[in-house]
Structure formats: structure tokens, C-alpha cells
């Protein structure tokens, strides 16, 4: 069965960096576009990055552009999110999610990893 | 950026009742790219509906989606105890995704 398992979250000071990982299994990872989506405590969902199946195309919303970098290693079935210049408003649970091949929606999500930005 | 506004914010209903949740878009959305998710406390969102009206794999037929343009609806025909949760709509457009703020369906 499809599994996505995030790791790498934790407490970081404002201005610091963190790298999140997502280990994928149960499907052919290299066939799928992937995204990171976050949820601040008690708030709604916000898409934060997107990467094509080959890794050649990425996209970000303005809120994280220039600070976050999404990447993948298809040989290791892994997705990454490098987060730099972190701010208090980046505090959230970060989910990795698989985009359906037939539609631009997310059919599988990991359980999430919590990132807390605080001094 | 397309803004999605969900209403009501909270829906208080009893098991067995019908739930109607709305999602309005600030500009026209392709029905192909409109989805609904369910989220329970401490869990990741789960895809319910994609393409505005297609049920995802394993989703009960009491869940249905409809709408087009700027107005979309998620209907739960008869609420089961496990349906009390928060529901989000989501759209894709102009190379980005946005979500509504959510509707909480709570037990009355």
C-alpha cells in the first residue's frame, strides 16, 4: 500500500534552517509529481511546493519562494524540503503529498512532521 | 490567486441528517481541478472528491460533489458518526493550489 513518511521536523530559531524528508513506498515514486503542504496549528491548509516526476520543474507560492527548495531522489524514493531563513509564521505541520496522475489533486498524504520556529 | 471561501464555518447536525457544505471561488475554477478533503483531529487530510464530482477510491457513496464555475457543493446524504470532521475544498489554477478555510461538521 502507498506510504509516505515524513521526518526532520523540530524546533529551530528564527533565521535558521531545516531539511525535511519524505520516504515513499508502495508505488513507483518516479512516476508521480509530489508536493509539500503545511498546516499551522489550528489553521487551514497551505500548499508550499511542487516538483515534477523527474525533478526538472518546481514551483512555490510567494510566501516561501526564495527560502524553500523542494527536491527529490528517485533512486531512493525520497522527497525533500530545504527550508532556510525560517520565520515564526512557518511554524506548522508539514505534509508530503502525492499528486494524482489523472488530476491535479492529492490522493495520498503522509502523517506530517511538526516544525516549530521559536527563539 | 484564486480564493476559496467555505460556508458555513461550522455545521451542527445529528447522525442521520443531511449535510450540505459550500465552496465559493473568487473566480471561475475548472471543475477538473476542484477537490474535497476530510480531516479528523491529529490525522492527515483524506481525499474524498476530485474533478468536482468523482469519488476517490474507497469513499462511501453517501458523499457526493457537485457544482461548476465559482460555486461547488459537498453533500453527505446521511451523516454517520465517523463523518464528524473538518472538510476542505481545494482548487488548482495558474500553477498553484489553494484551499478553503474549512467547514467543521460537529455533532449537535
Amino acid at each position: 500500500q502507498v506510504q509516505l513518511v515524513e521526518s526532520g521536523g523540530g524546533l529551530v530559531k528564527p533565521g535558521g534552517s531545516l531539511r525535511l524528508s519524505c520516504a515513499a513506498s508502495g508505488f513507483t515514486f518516479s512516476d508521480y509529481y509530489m508536493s509539500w503542504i503545511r498546516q499551522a496549528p489550528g489553521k487551514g491548509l497551505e500548499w508550499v511546493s511542487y516538483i515534477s516526476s523527474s525533478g526538472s520543474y518546481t514551483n512555490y507560492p510567494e510566501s516561501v519562494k526564495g527560502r524553500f527548495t523542494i527536491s527529490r531522489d528517485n533512486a531512493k524514493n525520497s522527497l525533500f524540503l530545504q527550508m532556510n531563513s525560517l520565520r515564526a509564521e512557518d511554524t506548522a505541520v508539514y505534509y508530503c503529498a502525492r499528486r494524482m496522475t489523472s488530476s491535479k489533486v492529492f490522493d495520498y498524504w503522509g502523517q506530517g512532521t511538526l516544525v516549530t520556529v521559536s527563539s | 490567486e484564486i480564493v476559496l471561501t467555505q460556508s458555513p464555518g461550522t455545521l451542527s447536525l445529528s447522525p442521520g441528517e443531511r449535510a450540505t457544505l459550500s465552496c465559493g471561488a473568487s473566480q471561475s475554477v475548472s471543475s477538473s481541478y476542484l477537490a474535497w478533503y476530510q480531516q479528523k483531529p491529529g490525522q492527515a487530510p483524506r481525499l474524498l472528491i476530485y474533478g468536482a464530482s468523482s469519488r476517490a477510491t474507497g469513499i462511501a457513496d453517501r458523499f457526493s460533489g457537485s457544482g461548476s464555475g465559482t460555486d461547488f457543493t459537498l453533500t453527505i446524504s446521511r451523516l454517520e458518526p465517523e463523518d464528524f470532521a473538518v472538510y476542505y475544498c481545494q482548487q488548482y489554477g495558474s500553477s498553484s493550489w489553494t484551499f478553503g478555510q474549512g467547514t467543521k461538521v460537529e455533532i449537535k
Side-chain angles (χ1 to χ4, degrees):
Chain A
Q1 72 283 20
V2 173
Q3 277 200 310
L4 298 168
V5 180
E6 301 93 337
S7 60
L11 175 63
V12 60
K13 289 182 169 52
S17 298
L18 210 56
R19 189 190 196 214
L20 305 183
S21 300
C22 173
S25 60
F27 65 102
T28 305
F29 181 68
S30 58
D31 286 348
Y32 287 84
Y33 288 39
M34 301 292 294
S35 274
W36 289 95
I37 296 161
R38 69 184 179 185
Q39 186 170 36
K43 302 297 185 183
L45 300 163
E46 180 188 17
W47 163 73
V48 293
S49 61
Y50 170 74
I51 189 167
S52 63
S53 54
S54 67
S56 60
Y57 175 78
T58 60
N59 197 21
Y60 309 87
E62 288 301 321
S63 58
V64 307
K65 195 172 288 185
R67 300 189 299 122
F68 288 13
T69 303
I70 188 172
S71 62
R72 64 192 297 161
D73 184 339
N74 285 343
K76 295 184 177 179
N77 293 336
S78 295
L79 178 73
F80 306 101
L81 184 67
Q82 178 67 43
M83 304 185 294
N84 299 330
S85 303
L86 283 162
R87 307 166 180 166
E89 55 265 34
D90 296 319
T91 294
V93 174
Y94 285 73
Y95 297 101
C96 69
R98 188 183 85 167
R99 200 206 82 178
M100 283 179 73
T101 53
S102 57
S103 181
K104 290 180 170 58
V105 303
F106 304 107
D107 60 351
Y108 285 94
W109 299 56
Q111 85 290 348
T113 188
L114 176 61
V115 172
T116 303
V117 184
S118 174
S119 55
Chain B
E1 174 183 289
I2 296 176
V3 176
L4 299 179
T5 302
Q6 293 185 239
S7 61
T10 302
L11 201 50
S12 298
L13 295 168
S14 301
E17 289 194 293
R18 181 184 188 91
T20 303
L21 288 67
S22 296
C23 176
S26 59
Q27 55 188 280
S28 187
V29 169
S30 169
S31 295
S32 297
Y33 300 149
L34 192 288
W36 290 91
Y37 300 85
Q38 176 194 67
Q39 187 178 34
K40 297 179 181 178
Q43 296 185 15
R46 178 173 72 141
L47 178 65
L48 297 176
I49 301 287
Y50 65 96
S53 60
S54 298
R55 275 187 299 277
T57 303
I59 300 303
D61 60 7
R62 63 181 180 275
F63 291 93
S64 62
S66 63
S68 63
T70 60
D71 295 298
F72 297 88
T73 300
L74 174 70
T75 301
I76 311 171
S77 59
R78 292 176 312 280
L79 283 164
E80 297 288 340
E82 61 267 28
D83 299 337
F84 292 92
V86 179
Y87 293 83
Y88 294 94
C89 57
Q90 169 247 301
Q91 70 82 37
Y92 170 83
S94 302
S95 302
S96 68
W97 287 262
T98 55
F99 293 85
Q101 82 280 16
T103 289
K104 182 179 182 180
V105 178
E106 66 175 22
I107 299 176
K108 187 174 181 181

